Amino acid sequence: MNVDAPAQARPPVPSGAKRLKGRHLLGIAGLEPSEITLILDTADAMKEVAARPIKKVPALRGRTVVNLFFEPSTRTRTSFEVAEKRLSADTLSIATATSSVTKGETLADTVRNLEAMAPDMIVIRHGSSGAPHLLARICRAAVINAGDGMHEHPTQALLDAFTIRAHKGRLAGLKVAIVGDLLHSRVLRSNLLLLNAMGADLCLCGPSTLIPAGLDRPGVRTTAVIDEALDGADVVMMLRIQQERMHGHFIPSLREYFTLFGLTPARLRRAKEDVIVMHPGPMNRGVEIDSEVADGPYSVILEQVANGVAVRMAVLYLLAGREAEESIDV
Amino acid sequence: MKLLLKGGRVVDPAAGRDGEFDILIDAGRIVRVGRDLPVNGSEVVELKQGWIVAPGLIDIHVHLREPGQEHKETIASGAAAAVAGGFTGIACMPNTHPVNDHAGITQFILKKAAEAGLARVYPIGAVSLGSRGEQLAELGEQKQAGCVAFSDDGRPVATALLMRRALEYAGMLGLPIVDHCEDPSLKGDGVAHEGQYASALGLRGIPGVAESLMVERDVSLAELTGAHVHICHMSARQSLRAVRAGKERGVAVTCEVAPHHFTLTDAALDGPVKYDTNLKMNPPLREEADRDAMLEGIADGTVDVIATDHAPHHGDEKLVEFDRAPFGITGLETAVPLVFDRLVHAGRISVSRAVELLSTNPARVLNLPGGSLAENAPADIVVLDPDRSVTIDAAQQRTRSRNTPFNGWELRGAVALTLVGGRIVHRAV
């Protein structure tokens, strides 16, 4: 299908970076603030595509993108797939249950076999931290990290930043509280790097059993008292309690977790009047967040999902490189 | 044929000797050590100015992988790597397939070692059957077959009760228990030192106290039983403290440190190659304070032995996700360059102390022959070229595996010659 692209939809050229330095997006670590801004600005333009009657542009026509998901994922996988389709890429999604991984094939061999089919990009979600880095070492394709173990989930942090910026107009100087299982969360690690780099003021909160070593740094402090974290917050980001990881000795019970750390309307009153409440999903209602808050007026949780598509379009587009950039207006 | 090593600085702490001497070898033994020995028809090996002649090095912590995992290493390839690294003797851990918990396996290892005819191989038998931590292996028969110590290496001796009995029983036989110290519940499924780097990289952490808790247990049990416990590959500063305190009270405890633990820290994980599985070993690379404590213990005498924990793994096994990769790196062919570059040339220890850590003490700890250049001792000798710079090239090493984090490193300190039983088994080109 041939789609005429309106000129006004070309991404605005930001003052700093014009393209990404790296070939891959393995994490927020390694991105410079100007590159983060470039992705967010590009996502602004991409968001406009979703508002059109025909939500498709030919930017990645003829490119092959493989979505390689070794962990169950609904939100992230469908978000990438929608983003790829809106950019006209040929896409292929592989989930572990249907691949040779179950036959004992190593990740390296799986990827070498995929490479033989010459994909341009591989989007990978994997339970082991660093799996995308291994891919990047052995692949010709550009690698996009869609979540690796307890390490990073860069596109989630980018869509979170995009959502925050849409509401607050900036990231620098904002008070952001992140509450939950800090130890196991890749969403936390990416958000920490991104928001810290962009000058936000972070307060991280969770039970002391779930606070890993080495988080504190200028602009970042940790606390086990949720009220302290919420005080005057512009943004409250709740992290999922992964029940399968609790093993009975990180927290005594989900009930007690909610008592001590659950986000309730009463607690939320400590935050600023125009606070926004975020959650990367999937939510455990009544564990980390009260339904009244999740569905309440401050919640931007569904907006996050919508923005995910625009941000992932931006990442795919920018990584596709100069060729895609120059051949086609978005 | 007699062999005369002429020139060179003889460093033999066991004999209190450090100076210019010649060494005369006959029928595999050292016949004389003296100044300007007459040639009298011997074959002369002229040593260069600055070369060091030391008793053959002994690595008391090596994984030879045979029987069972010959794709990683064989007894022959491991013995070849040993002599290339200056080691004339190596003690091999029992975690083969099957586990060396039986005299028949010890005999097999010794037969293969004799066929290889390179380094001397000293088997370490399992403490418990299958190293499962349930029932004592037949330690007495294992000793008769040739085992020099007992260990469930790779795993700690599981319970305090089993450790107590093992110490008492091995003590009766006059052999030490060599323990890989780690509390299994604190280690959990950790893959890296618990600290800022593991946090940032999302790797599950192993705290230093997972090691030191078990060291404290072992020191207490050695005290109770009066038997000798040797602590493997110490990495945590708390462990060093526990050993030091034990030694001060007169407990029969000795310990070793591996070259990677006095050279690297967990910061390397965040290096140019992220998630490099050649930086994954157990115990893990720890933080700077731990590394510095190891350096201090090496210098002040708390550490008895430098042992490599040579743990070869095939490249395919290491080319996987970090948390799925096996623990361990090779060490036989990088130990001498690291000891000289990082310890001797860095001014932390003397040449004599280096020889003590690599030869005199390992022999003493496991009561092995060697470790000295005394007259009538077997002529197991290493000649070191301390000022030659080498670039580590994993592909050129004699070990079957290439899993070293030191590939490409340029280090000052090399092996010139290795003699086992008076025979030159390695000569650097």
Side-chain angles (χ1 to χ4, degrees):
Chain A
M1 187 170 59
N2 215 341
V3 177
D4 292 327
Q8 75 272 15
R10 199 178 170 83
V13 179
S15 51
K18 290 186 177 160
R19 54 180 62 91
L20 300 178
K21 288 203 188 74
R23 237 162 44 77
H24 312 284
L25 180 68
L26 301 178
I28 299 298
L31 284 184
E32 289 178 8
S34 61
E35 293 178 289
I36 292 168
T37 303
L38 170 67
I39 295 170
L40 300 182
D41 290 348
T42 309
D44 273 327
M46 296 297 175
K47 200 174 177 185
E48 184 269 337
V49 172
R52 296 183 195 171
I54 296 172
K55 303 179 179 59
K56 200 170 176 98
V57 292
L60 293 192
R61 194 167 50 190
R63 305 288 178 114
T64 307
V65 184
V66 175
N67 300 305
L68 189 53
F69 277 66
F70 292 88
E71 270 190 343
S73 158
T74 314
R75 221 169 322 267
T76 305
R77 186 170 53 81
T78 49
S79 178
F80 267 108
E81 281 177 18
V82 170
E84 289 150 12
K85 291 192 159 97
R86 286 191 180 161
L87 291 171
S88 306
D90 295 320
T91 72
L92 173 67
S93 291
I94 298 170
T96 36
T98 56
S99 78
S100 350
V101 172
T102 48
K103 297 176 192 163
E105 192 177 56
T106 64
L107 176 60
D109 278 334
T110 301
V111 168
R112 283 174 183 141
N113 278 280
L114 286 174
E115 276 265 291
M117 301 172 220
D120 298 284
M121 293 191 227
I122 298 177
V123 177
I124 178 171
R125 153 75 57 100
H126 197 288
S128 293
S129 301
H133 302 70
L134 174 61
L135 248 64
R137 287 211 299 275
I138 58 181
C139 283
R140 287 182 301 273
V143 176
I144 299 176
N145 182 357
D148 63 325
M150 303 168 4
H151 178 227
E152 280 221 46
H153 190 354
T155 57
Q156 178 70 42
L158 287 162
L159 75 88
D160 289 340
F162 183 84
T163 307
I164 296 170
R165 202 176 72 159
H167 280 267
K168 306 290 178 192
R170 67 196 163 104
L171 297 170
L174 292 178
K175 270 200 76 180
V176 181
I178 306 181
V179 183
D181 177 355
L182 307 176
L183 177 64
H184 298 107
S185 176
R186 54 191 173 214
V187 175
L188 167 78
R189 283 169 179 78
S190 288
N191 265 301
L192 168 62
L193 292 169
L194 190 155
L195 293 169
N196 187 237
M198 302 305 281
D201 180 15
L202 285 170
C203 187
L204 313 178
C205 173
S208 48
T209 46
L210 291 171
I211 302 180
L215 292 184
D216 290 276
R217 65 198 70 174
V220 182
R221 65 197 174 87
T222 54
T223 174
V225 182
I226 185 170
D227 286 352
E228 217 176 274
L230 296 179
D231 255 338
D234 295 288
V235 176
V236 178
M237 200 180 281
M238 301 305 291
L239 300 174
R240 172 181 162 72
I241 286 290
Q242 290 162 296
Q243 304 184 30
E244 65 280 8
R245 279 184 158 149
M246 292 303 111
H247 304 307
H249 46 52
F250 285 112
I251 52 172
S253 69
L254 297 179
R255 209 175 66 88
E256 174 156 317
Y257 182 82
F258 185 72
T259 310
L260 296 183
F261 296 96
L263 186 61
T264 58
R267 283 197 170 126
L268 192 57
R269 279 196 281 278
R270 294 184 159 269
K272 291 229 176 87
E273 268 180 45
D274 61 346
V275 67
I276 57 170
V277 173
M278 310 175 75
H279 194 297
M283 269 188 290
N284 295 302
R285 291 168 182 267
V287 177
E288 66 258 6
I289 190 163
D290 193 309
S291 278
E292 218 178 297
V293 177
D295 306 327
Y298 305 105
S299 169
V300 297
I301 294 169
L302 293 176
E303 252 177 75
Q304 288 173 270
V305 179
N307 291 338
V309 175
V311 164
R312 288 174 178 123
M313 285 172 77
V315 167
L316 289 159
Y317 170 77
L318 289 169
L319 286 180
R322 177 180 295 212
E323 204 184 319
E325 232 169 278
E326 288 178 352
S327 62
I328 306 276
D329 281 326
V330 174
Chain B
M1 181 75 179
K2 290 181 184 173
L3 196 65
L4 183 64
L5 301 184
K6 229 173 166 23
R9 171 184 166 196
V10 170
V11 179
D12 180 11
R17 197 174 262 142
D18 186 344
E20 302 277 331
F21 293 94
D22 298 343
I23 296 183
L24 183 66
I25 297 161
D26 190 18
R29 295 196 167 264
I30 294 170
V31 180
R32 275 193 70 192
V33 182
R35 292 183 200 276
D36 302 318
L37 296 183
V39 173
N40 277 350
S42 327
E43 185 187 333
V44 176
V45 180
E46 291 278 358
L47 304 183
K48 290 189 186 148
Q49 182 73 31
W51 283 14
I52 293 163
V53 183
L57 311 183
I58 300 172
D59 188 348
I60 62 173
H61 196 137
V62 171
H63 297 272
L64 289 181
R65 307 300 188 203
E66 188 180 2
Q69 296 184 303
E70 292 82 357
H71 63 290
K72 300 179 194 237
E73 195 81 284
T74 62
I75 291 164
S77 67
V83 296
F87 293 96
T88 58
I90 48 179
C92 59
M93 285 295 177
N95 63 337
T96 45
H97 294 286
V99 168
N100 182 14
D101 58 2
H102 198 271
I105 299 166
T106 295
Q107 285 156 2
F108 167 84
I109 292 169
L110 289 171
K111 179 173 160 281
K112 287 281 179 180
E115 283 168 17
L118 295 164
R120 297 179 200 274
V121 175
Y122 304 106
I124 294 176
V127 170
S128 62
L129 283 179
S131 286
R132 283 188 297 270
E134 291 159 8
Q135 189 186 340
L136 276 184
E138 291 168 335
L139 306 188
E141 294 200 357
Q142 280 281 62
K143 182 191 175 184
Q144 286 168 10
C147 281
V148 298
F150 304 103
S151 179
D152 278 348
D153 187 50
R155 308 177 188 186
V157 175
T159 66
L161 178 64
L162 181 68
M163 187 61 177
R164 176 194 177 165
R165 298 295 181 228
L167 280 166
E168 287 170 337
Y169 200 87
M172 168 185 86
L173 301 171
L175 299 184
I177 299 291
V178 176
D179 204 17
H180 166 123
C181 288
E182 99 192 350
D183 180 278
S185 69
L186 277 178
K187 189 221 169 200
D189 47 9
V191 295
H193 174 62
E194 183 177 296
Q196 59 163 317
Y197 294 100
S199 285
L201 293 167
L203 296 173
R204 282 182 296 272
I206 308 171
V209 294
E211 177 182 286
S212 64
L213 264 184
M214 199 65 101
V215 173
E216 284 165 13
R217 178 198 80 170
D218 286 357
V219 170
S220 296
L221 290 171
E223 189 170 27
L224 174 70
T225 57
H228 174 194
V229 67
H230 175 76
I231 309 294
C232 288
H233 44 51
M234 255 184 355
S235 65
R237 57 191 187 274
Q238 298 90 337
S239 306
L240 192 81
R241 211 157 56 204
V243 168
R244 191 179 279 142
K247 287 186 166 189
E248 279 166 8
R249 321 197 279 280
V251 179
V253 55
T254 52
C255 69
E256 72 194 29
V257 169
H260 46 274
H261 287 128
F262 67 66
T263 304
L264 295 167
T265 66
D266 60 347
L269 292 169
D270 200 26
V273 179
K274 300 241 189 307
Y275 300 98
D276 182 353
T277 54
N278 286 333
L279 294 167
K280 181 179 175 183
M281 65 288 282
N282 190 16
L285 297 175
R286 299 211 182 269
E287 59 197 59
E288 212 169 278
D290 295 300
R291 196 263 315 266
D292 292 349
M294 296 309 119
L295 289 169
E296 190 190 303
I298 285 167
D300 73 14
T302 308
V303 173
D304 298 277
V305 168
I306 289 172
T308 68
D309 193 9
H310 178 81
H313 291 293
H314 194 274
D316 289 344
E317 295 165 322
K318 282 285 197 181
L319 188 65
V320 295
E321 301 85 323
F322 194 88
D323 52 9
R324 296 184 63 176
F327 290 101
I329 60 170
T330 59
L332 285 167
E333 291 163 89
T334 45
V336 163
L338 287 168
V339 166
F340 273 83
D341 196 278
R342 297 297 150 135
L343 301 179
V344 177
H345 296 315
R348 297 180 187 280
I349 61 171
S350 64
V351 170
S352 168
R353 174 75 177 138
V355 173
E356 214 172 272
L357 287 159
L358 287 166
S359 177
T360 324
N361 289 353
R364 182 174 56 80
V365 164
L366 293 192
N367 196 26
L368 303 173
S372 95
L373 295 175
E375 288 174 7
N376 208 33
D380 293 0
I381 300 171
V382 65
V383 179
L384 302 167
D385 184 354
D387 289 315
R388 186 159 66 88
S389 284
V390 289
T391 303
I392 306 295
D393 181 356
Q396 296 298 316
Q397 291 182 338
R398 308 288 295 277
T399 169
R400 275 203 175 175
S401 293
R402 296 180 181 183
N403 52 317
T404 171
F406 303 114
N407 194 32
W409 282 40
E410 197 181 316
L411 298 164
R412 189 153 67 96
V415 176
L417 281 176
T418 308
L419 290 83
V420 174
R423 203 159 52 86
I424 295 175
V425 288
H426 173 76
R427 194 193 288 264
V429 281

